[in-house]
Amino acid sequence: MNIRTTQLSQSILLASLILSASAFAHAATDQDVLGGTINGKLTFASDYVFRGESETMDGEVPVVQGTLGWGNELGWYAGMFASNVKFADPNLEIVTAPYIGKAGKFGDSTISYDVMVFSYLYPGASYSNYTELWIKVGKQFGHANVQLEVTPTIDDWFGVEGWQGINYAVHPSYAFDNGVNFSASIGYQGLEGEGAEGWGHWNLGLSKAYAGINFDVRYHGSTMDSDHKVYGTQTKIFDDRVVVGISKSF
């Protein structure tokens, strides 16, 4: 069995597991579970781009992603995200990500906050595991919203000893009256440590829900070039690209 066939089989298995979890989430919707409710999301996309980087070796394989979560009226939430991935390291085939956080607003204002601990776990490649602390503050301006993000790593970035990262980003969005949503992100992934170097990244796209399914078309770009200390030999995975995705929330 070759690598591509193995990855396809794993993607199918992951899709089956996510569909099962989504079915559970759908069945549990609106039911009280430990003082909160269960929610889920299933996504199919042409690529998985994270801060400008294709997580599938330049879009060599499509992705299946799922989230199963729990939340309560106080703003506490927790859950698990999963997706197939493809890197130069053949052991990196799936990422699972447990998370826990608290979201809400400052008093009666239109200023929101969201603080979350998010761990990237790679079955079969635990040496790449790492955890980030996501901190977001946002404000609503009518149909528009702006979020500011600061996301430092809690331990070694991507498992590289001595490397620490911190992502800074601005996320503007606008909801049109016809149901079309525009959203974008402009950020910089800082990276410190021996031989480390950060990069800028950005994306913009349009999304719209139809018949209970959300459609998203997004353009991704970055400042990566062939002189980069970390990715100089594989900057192709940072090429500008368009990603098409469909998702269903439960």
Side-chain angles (χ1 to χ4, degrees), residues 41-45 179-183 205-218 243-249:
K41 184 178 180 181
L42 177 64
T43 300
F44 296 92
V180 173
N181 291 284
F182 167 81
S183 59
L206 296 173
S207 62
K208 181 176 174 60
Y210 179 76
I213 298 176
N214 190 68
F215 298 84
D216 186 276
V217 179
R218 192 160 301 277
V243 176
V244 179
I246 60 173
S247 61
K248 171 71 175 177
S249 297

Side-chain angles (χ1 to χ4, degrees), residues 51-53 199 222 224 231 235-241:
R51 297 174 187 165
E53 176 186 356
W199 66 90
S222 76
M224 189 65 64
Y231 291 96
T235 54
K236 187 176 181 180
I237 61 176
F238 284 92
D239 286 350
D240 291 7
R241 70 192 65 237

Side-chain angles (χ1 to χ4, degrees), residues 156-171:
D156 292 336
W157 179 87
F158 212 60
V160 181
E161 185 176 358
W163 282 19
Q164 295 294 313
I166 182 167
N167 186 61
Y168 304 92
V170 180
H171 309 285

Side-chain angles (χ1 to χ4, degrees), residues 119-229:
S119 291
Y120 306 85
L121 307 179
Y122 299 92
S126 59
Y127 45 81
S128 293
N129 295 349
Y130 70 107
T131 301
E132 290 185 324
L133 175 64
W134 290 61
I135 304 171
K136 291 183 179 180
V137 176
K139 181 171 175 57
Q140 196 72 32
F141 301 91
H143 288 270
N145 183 275
V146 177
Q147 286 189 329
L148 304 178
E149 173 199 333
V150 178
T151 304
T153 55
I154 295 177
D155 49 10
D156 292 336
W157 179 87
F158 212 60
V160 181
E161 185 176 358
W163 282 19
Q164 295 294 313
I166 182 167
N167 186 61
Y168 304 92
V170 180
H171 309 285
S173 62
Y174 189 91
F176 293 93
D177 291 331
N178 61 1
V180 173
N181 291 284
F182 167 81
S183 59
S185 177
I186 303 172
Y188 179 78
Q189 174 62 65
L191 201 58
E192 295 184 353
E194 185 177 354
E197 183 180 6
W199 66 90
H201 54 86
W202 57 274
N203 71 74
L204 56 88
L206 296 173
S207 62
K208 181 176 174 60
Y210 179 76
I213 298 176
N214 190 68
F215 298 84
D216 186 276
V217 179
R218 192 160 301 277
Y219 191 94
H220 294 265
S222 76
T223 62
M224 189 65 64
D225 59 38
S226 59
D227 294 326
H228 195 270
K229 293 180 181 179

